[in-house]
Amino acid sequence: MSAPLPELLAPAPAGRGLAVRRPRTGGLGARARALRIWLPAGFLILLAAACFLWPLVYPVPKPVGGSILAAGLPPLSPGHIFGTDPVGNDIFSRILYGGQVSFEVGFGTTAIGLVAGGLLGMAAGYWGGLGDAVIMRVLDVLIAFPSLVLALAIAEGLGPSELHVIWALSFFSVPAFGRIARGATLALRGQTFMLAARLCGSSGRRVILRHVIPNITPQLMTFSLLGVGVAIILEGALSFLGLGIPLPEASWGSMIAQGQQTLSAQPDLVLIPSAFLFATVVSLNLLGDALRERWASPTGPSR
């Protein structure tokens, strides 16, 4: 005979209820987020270490001055894993030394833009007024001007060299960082903790160092990774046009420019540096997106 309805509806005694298993998704989600950061970061660290440290600890052929007797060797040839170019230079060695130049240009350009643009943007956003108007109009003019055309003009005027390429590309990175820093600072300026800090008599310098910089750093660092990738691509474009890294010095862009002259006979001269350039830029973009999601805090800015 079935039990009365009140007994069926009564709660089960403690210890006699059925245990309900809940899926454990937190650990998997955390591991997936960690992999999204560490996979591209690990690739970039390994690639940078290979470019800068491999020639120091393991003997590799010089990137220039190869023997004409070994010219045009295909990939996987004995002693030349990536083959040689039409004048006998080892492609693997040029990839390593060209990676040094590409990383130096990318991070050097981004560092100048981060420091100069970040300081200008913070000053404009925090103090406002006439200084804000002047700074932003100058940055607007630089942004409105085509960046590649401006870089071409500067590189043509200064002459092809790695340092000149960095300075030329910095002109377009400064306004981008400046606008991001200003927007982030304006969003913070009306926050309660910022008003409280000013009411307590804190100087502008102290407020910027203690409250503004820690809160806008995640946005600037995320954009910095994207900026490194853009700078590497633009350096490749300048080298492709003959205004970047001067020959015979190697860079991934100059290798692509040289390889297109013999593309039909040796397509690997273009494909190999293009693959390294592509993988580096994609890894920087993936790392930037993963860090942006990681640093996005639903609780608001830190105090």
Side-chain angles (χ1 to χ4, degrees), residues 273-285:
S274 298
F276 278 91
L277 181 64
F278 173 79
T280 302
V281 174
V282 169
S283 298
L284 288 167
N285 291 342

Side-chain angles (χ1 to χ4, degrees), residues 18-87:
L18 296 177
V20 179
R21 287 180 174 270
R22 297 183 178 180
R24 299 176 60 184
T25 58
L28 294 176
R31 284 193 289 270
R33 288 191 295 269
L35 283 177
R36 290 189 60 192
I37 294 175
W38 286 109
L39 283 180
F43 171 78
L44 291 171
I45 291 172
L46 288 177
L47 180 59
C51 291
F52 287 94
L53 299 181
W54 191 314
L56 299 179
V57 301
Y58 190 83
V60 295
K62 293 182 179 181
V64 294
S67 173
I68 194 65
L69 299 177
L73 293 179
L76 302 180
S77 298
H80 304 281
I81 186 172
F82 288 160
T84 59
D85 63 11
V87 294

Side-chain angles (χ1 to χ4, degrees), residues 173-243:
S173 65
V174 169
F177 279 101
R179 292 189 67 86
I180 291 177
R182 177 181 180 270
T185 305
L186 285 175
L188 290 172
R189 195 169 63 176
Q191 295 286 336
T192 305
F193 68 92
M194 293 280 288
L195 297 175
R198 289 197 292 266
L199 290 175
C200 289
S202 298
S203 63
R205 177 184 176 185
R206 178 176 175 83
V207 172
I208 290 176
L209 292 176
R210 187 178 180 89
H211 300 288
V212 176
I213 292 180
N215 282 294
I216 71 173
T217 294
Q219 299 181 48
L220 293 177
M221 294 305 297
T222 300
F223 185 74
S224 297
L225 294 172
L226 305 179
V228 172
V230 173
I232 291 176
I233 291 177
L234 289 178
E235 179 275 323
L238 291 177
S239 296
F240 188 84
L241 296 173
L243 296 174

Side-chain angles (χ1 to χ4, degrees), residues 64-228:
V64 294
S67 173
I68 194 65
L69 299 177
L73 293 179
L76 302 180
S77 298
H80 304 281
I81 186 172
F82 288 160
T84 59
D85 63 11
V87 294
N89 296 321
D90 183 73
I91 300 299
F92 178 69
S93 175
R94 291 181 67 79
I95 286 290
L96 295 181
Y97 284 94
Q100 294 180 15
V101 174
S102 296
F103 276 114
E104 289 169 358
V105 170
F107 282 97
T109 300
T110 304
I112 294 175
L114 176 63
V115 174
L119 291 177
L120 290 174
M122 281 191 296
Y126 183 78
W127 280 290
L130 180 61
D132 179 22
V134 172
I135 291 173
M136 294 314 299
R137 295 300 76 79
V138 173
L139 296 184
D140 288 342
V141 170
L142 291 177
I143 288 180
F145 204 86
S147 58
L148 184 57
V149 175
L150 179 61
L152 284 171
I154 297 173
E156 176 68 22
L158 297 177
S161 73
E162 180 179 344
L163 183 60
H164 294 165
V165 169
I166 292 176
W167 284 114
L169 297 181
S170 299
F171 275 89
F172 93 91
S173 65
V174 169
F177 279 101
R179 292 189 67 86
I180 291 177
R182 177 181 180 270
T185 305
L186 285 175
L188 290 172
R189 195 169 63 176
Q191 295 286 336
T192 305
F193 68 92
M194 293 280 288
L195 297 175
R198 289 197 292 266
L199 290 175
C200 289
S202 298
S203 63
R205 177 184 176 185
R206 178 176 175 83
V207 172
I208 290 176
L209 292 176
R210 187 178 180 89
H211 300 288
V212 176
I213 292 180
N215 282 294
I216 71 173
T217 294
Q219 299 181 48
L220 293 177
M221 294 305 297
T222 300
F223 185 74
S224 297
L225 294 172
L226 305 179
V228 172

